[in-house]
Structures are given as structure tokens and as C-alpha cells.
Amino acid sequence: MRKGNSFLFGMLALGLAAVVLAGCSTANAAPPAAPEPTGQDSVRYITVVGKGEVSLTPDIAQVNVGAEATAETVSEAKAEVDSHMEAILAALEEMGIAEKDIQTSHYGIYYEREPFFEPGRGEPAAENEGFYRVSSMLNVTIREIERAGEVVDAAVEAGANRMYGVSFTVSETVEWESEAREKAMADARARAEELAGLAEVTLGEVLSVSEVVGSRPVVLEKEVMAAFGGGGGIIPGELEVGTQIQVTFAIE
């Protein structure tokens, strides 16, 4: 019995020593090496935004025309405005404006009061009776831009007493959009080459190209030249349109 117990205790001691040694070996082992970076993170690159602009002669005009009237009652003011608008629509039709190119852009009815000023006093002493103001506006697209002045004059003669919001655009967009993108791409490369020179590196291949979201070629309002002169003096001038393209170049 004693020999058997001694043998058993000996085996347990050897097993415990092996576990302790294994634990010490694991604790003292060096940590695994960090993985090498892969993909885009390991590539040096330059990202720029190129701009392309094109000058165009507009061939479509848009203008808001309408009528406004005031009266003691809504029905009186509305009747006057409706009469003017019927005459304006007839004049536009006579000028060859298609029904699809005429759209109501505003219609409003307001009740207003004006303060009453007594002679010699700078502050209102009372309020006059109120009145109603009714207004109606049409957004008119004029596809024969050379006749824009005639269309405006016809609307005024028919009773239009409100007019605003002249704008110009072009009917065909594909050609100038492509030209603007071509210029934007060339501008992007020029910017990237300049940055590469400043950083004393060599520009490599294109890694990615994308048109900047929200920068689809549109008319830059600051470049639009338009004016009124007695109704018919509309000058379309020239439009400046543009787009932006983001390009990423590798650094060799």
C-alpha cells in the first residue's frame, strides 16, 4: 500500500510541474507580430477636386408674370385679378406659348390694415378699415428667346402689373456637360501635378474618379446678365456653367 501511494504521488508531482513549466513558457513568449497593412491604406496618394466651366448662349427664358389687386372684399379683389389673368393667358396663347410652358407659381389672398396718421403727428392715432389683397403669378417658359421681350410686352398690355424672376437656360445639355467634365478632369490633373511637385514626389496612375455630389452642371447665377427696361428690354447675355470632379492619383 505504501509503495502504491508513493508511486501515485510521484506521478501527480510530475504532472503539476509540467503544467507550471508550460504556464511559464506561455507567459514569457513574445506577442504575435502586427499584420502588414494591405489595400488602399498601404498606398500613398493625392486627392484633388477639379473644376470645369463653359460659357454658353442661352436659348430659353423663364419669367414670372401676374396681377395683383386690392378691394374692401375678397370677391371684388379676386374678380379683378381673375379678369386680368384671363386676359394674360389669352395674350400668351396668342404669342404662341404652349399650355405646358405656363404654370401657376403663386396665388395668395391677404387681409391687411394700414395705420391712420393725423396731420402733424408722427405716430399712428388709429387704424383705417382693413382691405383684401389678392395676387396670382404664372411661371412662363419662352422657348424662342429672341421673342422674350415681345411676350413680356404682350402680358403687360393684357393687364400684368407684377413681374419678376427672369432666368435663362439652355435646351441641350449633353454637349456642354461633357465639355465641362473634360475641363474639370484636366484641371484636376494640373492641381495634382502641382501638389506632387511641391511635395517632391512623382504622380502615378488614377485610382478613382467621381463627380462631386450636388455639383451637376448648373447655371452660376452670378454670371447671368439679365435686365428689364420697360418690359421688353430683356438681355439674355451669356451663361457660365460648370461641374466638379474628384480624382485620386497614386504617388509612385
Side-chain angles (χ1 to χ4, degrees), residues 66-237:
E68 182 178 275
T70 59
E72 293 182 357
T73 66
V74 174
S75 58
E76 290 176 330
K78 185 177 182 300
E80 184 177 347
V81 168
D82 289 347
S83 176
H84 286 315
M85 296 304 292
E86 288 180 8
I88 293 170
L89 285 170
L92 293 175
E93 183 180 355
E94 187 175 346
M95 292 297 297
I97 304 299
E99 185 177 347
K100 67 176 182 178
D101 291 330
I102 303 174
Q103 183 181 44
T104 298
S105 59
H106 167 79
Y107 194 95
I109 300 176
Y110 312 93
Y111 181 73
E112 300 179 8
R113 289 180 182 272
E114 289 186 354
F116 172 74
F117 290 85
E118 293 183 353
R121 298 189 60 176
E123 296 182 0
E127 285 188 346
N128 286 333
E129 293 293 330
F131 61 91
Y132 290 92
R133 183 186 303 276
V134 177
S135 61
S136 180
M137 299 296 298
L138 300 173
N139 182 271
V140 182
T141 299
I142 306 169
R143 300 189 184 277
E144 296 179 275
I145 197 169
E146 67 278 0
R147 301 186 63 202
E150 298 176 22
V151 174
V152 169
D153 285 340
V156 171
E157 291 175 6
N161 56 19
R162 292 193 66 197
M163 191 172 304
Y164 64 84
V166 182
S167 61
F168 302 96
T169 186
V170 290
S171 54
E172 297 295 332
T173 62
V174 175
E175 183 176 349
W176 62 258
E177 284 181 353
S178 296
E179 185 178 349
R181 291 190 183 104
E182 184 179 344
K183 290 187 175 183
M185 193 67 186
D187 181 56
R189 181 171 291 279
R191 291 170 183 264
E193 288 176 349
E194 181 180 357
L195 290 175
L198 293 172
E200 298 182 349
V201 296
T202 302
L203 201 65
E205 64 179 354
V206 174
L207 297 178
S208 67
V209 181
S210 61
E211 195 161 17
V212 178
V213 176
S215 71
R216 180 178 174 80
V218 295
V219 175
L220 303 179
E221 295 180 0
K222 66 179 182 178
E223 300 294 341
V224 177
M225 296 177 289
F228 273 116
I234 298 179
I235 306 172

Side-chain angles (χ1 to χ4, degrees), residues 24-34:
C24 292
S25 176
T26 302
N28 294 330

